[in-house]
Amino acid sequence: GENVEQHPSTLSVQEGDSAVIKCTYSDSASNYFPWYKQELGKRPQLIIDIRSNVGEKKDQRIAVTLNKTAKHFSLHITETQPEDSAVYFCAASPSGYSTLTFGKGTMLLVSP
Amino acid sequence: GAVVSQHPSWVICKSGTSVKIECRSLDFQATTMFWYRQFPKQSLMLMATSNEGSKATYEQGVEKDKFLINHASLTLSTLTVTSAHPEDSSFYICSASQRAGYNEQFFGPGTRLTVL
């Protein structure tokens, strides 16, 4: 089955800095890669996703890049703000299936 | 659109009792629903996948007789934790997919289960 590795497990940045979280996946059949933000005790919220037919996608301060050959994808957050502090999860899903396999998460702390 | 609700949001029960958690898709028909368990400071672990009108598919290591899943309609799935024990205390989250093979999942707000 699919295996998703996520790094780093914790990331501390100063407000205004950029943050990068990286994930690798094992199943070449995966074609959907969402990123979720989860605040303590709350549901995961989809912040951005990418499908395997594109290499990069941006939404304001958030961007995701995908390298299918290397089987890795990354989340980039620019101009970080304290409210960006949360746990971020990457996930991967194979073509034709709804099942998501999650990475272990990255706790992002943005200090004012 | 694509709102998923869960009830209850939290529950405390005694060891040995059973607890039922409901997951509803409010504004769409969910062909597939998923149940996850999340322990503190850990990731979401898929417990089972259920399709309306058929038996749930459980992940390896998840006891199907302990975690009963019923997907009776296109808008409702229930998870019953039978004979709950303290080690079952966790955050249970459901999600729903709008159509078979469609990757995007919409998550419920979760249920915090505490077994005393």
Side-chain angles (χ1 to χ4, degrees):
Chain A
E2 174 68 279
N3 181 48
V4 177
E5 298 284 342
Q6 183 172 346
H7 299 279
S9 56
T10 59
L11 179 58
S12 294
V13 300
Q14 291 292 121
E15 183 177 1
D17 289 349
S18 294
V20 180
I21 303 171
K22 299 181 178 182
C23 288
T24 60
Y25 61 99
S26 62
D27 190 347
S28 57
S30 288
N31 70 341
Y32 176 65
F33 307 93
W35 286 89
Y36 293 90
K37 175 183 179 182
Q38 188 180 31
E39 296 176 348
L40 188 62
K42 304 223 174 144
R43 79 183 85 195
Q45 289 183 301
L46 179 68
I47 56 172
I48 196 167
D49 57 11
I50 192 168
R51 295 188 184 273
S52 59
N53 56 343
V54 297
E56 184 175 2
K57 184 177 179 181
K58 288 184 180 180
D59 183 3
Q60 300 182 340
R61 297 187 295 110
I62 295 172
V64 57
T65 59
L66 171 64
N67 183 325
K68 286 176 56 180
T69 303
K71 294 185 196 167
H72 66 71
F73 55 112
S74 301
L75 176 71
H76 304 252
I77 305 174
T78 59
E79 301 173 25
T80 54
Q81 301 166 2
E83 49 266 39
D84 293 330
S85 297
V87 179
Y88 291 80
F89 293 99
C90 64
S93 179
S95 174
Y97 294 90
S98 305
T99 305
L100 292 173
T101 301
F102 284 85
K104 291 189 182 299
T106 297
M107 179 175 290
L108 174 64
L109 176 62
V110 182
S111 302
Chain B
V3 178
V4 177
S5 70
Q6 241 178 283
H7 178 81
S9 55
W10 59 271
V11 58
I12 300 173
C13 69
K14 293 182 179 180
S15 185
T17 60
S18 295
V19 174
K20 180 184 284 188
I21 302 170
E22 291 187 349
C23 176
R24 294 182 184 272
S25 56
L26 299 185
D27 53 2
F28 67 99
Q29 292 187 327
T31 55
T32 307
M33 286 186 167
F34 305 85
W35 287 96
Y36 295 87
R37 181 166 53 181
Q38 186 176 34
F39 292 109
K41 298 185 178 182
Q42 293 189 22
S43 187
L44 286 80
M45 296 302 296
L46 180 65
M47 300 175 66
T49 302
S50 73
N51 293 293
E52 183 264 340
S54 61
K55 291 184 178 180
T57 300
Y58 291 81
E59 294 299 300
Q60 191 172 9
V62 178
E63 301 174 57
K64 61 180 181 181
D65 294 329
K66 180 171 183 62
F67 299 99
L68 302 179
I69 292 172
N70 187 325
H71 193 159
S73 75
L74 285 171
T75 59
L76 173 65
S77 177
T78 60
L79 167 68
T80 301
V81 183
T82 63
S83 186
H85 292 284
E87 57 266 29
D88 298 323
S89 298
S90 187
F91 193 48
Y92 291 86
I93 308 175
C94 72
S95 70
S97 178
Q98 285 183 300
R99 53 184 182 268
Y102 186 62
N103 306 101
E104 186 172 2
Q105 295 182 20
F106 303 94
F107 285 85
T111 297
R112 175 75 58 193
L113 171 63
T114 301
V115 184
L116 302 177

